[in-house]
């Protein structure tokens, strides 16, 4: 079993806690499902949010999904002029038998434009 990193992102339509919870939950679920993972495969998860998101911690959505014994951390994305607004990004470290080339990075909705080279 190897340690792999899985990336993902989603753009929120609005800065509301319930909407963030829904969108981040959808993103986390998609990352797990597309890579054949379960929560026990998670080692740690980094969440970043653009500076225009203030309503909640993205990691709160993971806790609501039952991810309670995995280290989670939230940070703020750099405030770059022209960057896509209202984006939550995830970097999950996982245990997996998948090769690096087989990892499915998940960019939902408009966030797919962030990494057209790896978005699936």
């Amino acid at each position: 079993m190897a340690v792999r990193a899985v990336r993902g992102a989603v753009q929120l339509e609005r800065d509301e806690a319930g909407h963030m919870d829904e969108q981040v939950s959808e993103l986390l679920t998609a990352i797990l499902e597309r890579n054949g993972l379960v929560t026990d495969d998670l080692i740690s998860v980094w969440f970043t949010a653009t500076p225009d998101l203030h309503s909640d911690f993205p990691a709160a959505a993971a806790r609501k999904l039952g991810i309670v014994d995995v280290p989670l951390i939230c940070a703020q994305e750099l405030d770059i002029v022209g960057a896509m607004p209202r984006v939550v990004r995830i970097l999950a470290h996982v245990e997996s038998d998948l090769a690096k080339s087989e990892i499915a990075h998940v960019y939902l909705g408009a966030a797919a434009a962030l990494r057209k080279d790896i978005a699936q």
Side-chain angles (χ1 to χ4, degrees):
M1 188 91 36
V3 174
R4 299 288 183 228
V6 185
R7 290 285 319 268
V10 63
Q11 184 183 38
L12 278 59
E13 294 175 14
R14 58 195 175 279
D15 183 22
E16 295 176 1
H19 181 61
M20 180 181 290
D21 181 57
E22 173 186 293
Q23 294 296 299
V24 173
S25 294
E26 182 180 342
L27 178 59
L28 276 169
T29 299
I31 286 171
L32 293 172
E33 288 177 355
R34 293 183 193 181
N35 289 286
L37 301 169
V38 296
T39 57
D40 281 347
D41 297 325
L42 293 169
I43 297 169
S44 64
V45 184
W46 282 81
F47 297 86
T48 64
T50 51
D52 52 1
L53 293 174
H54 308 279
S55 61
D56 204 357
F57 294 99
R63 297 293 184 221
K64 290 177 185 172
L65 284 176
I67 301 171
V68 295
D69 61 350
V70 176
L72 308 176
I73 192 164
C74 296
Q76 188 175 75
E77 246 341 285
L78 295 173
D79 191 8
I80 304 297
V81 174
M84 184 180 285
R86 300 176 318 280
V87 174
V88 174
R89 291 173 173 86
I90 291 176
L91 174 62
H93 298 97
V94 303
E95 291 181 318
S96 175
D97 288 327
L98 295 174
K100 285 182 187 179
S101 61
E102 296 174 311
I103 295 293
H105 303 283
V106 180
Y107 290 77
L108 299 179
L114 295 171
R115 291 297 307 263
K116 293 178 185 176
D117 58 325
I118 63 171
Q120 298 183 13

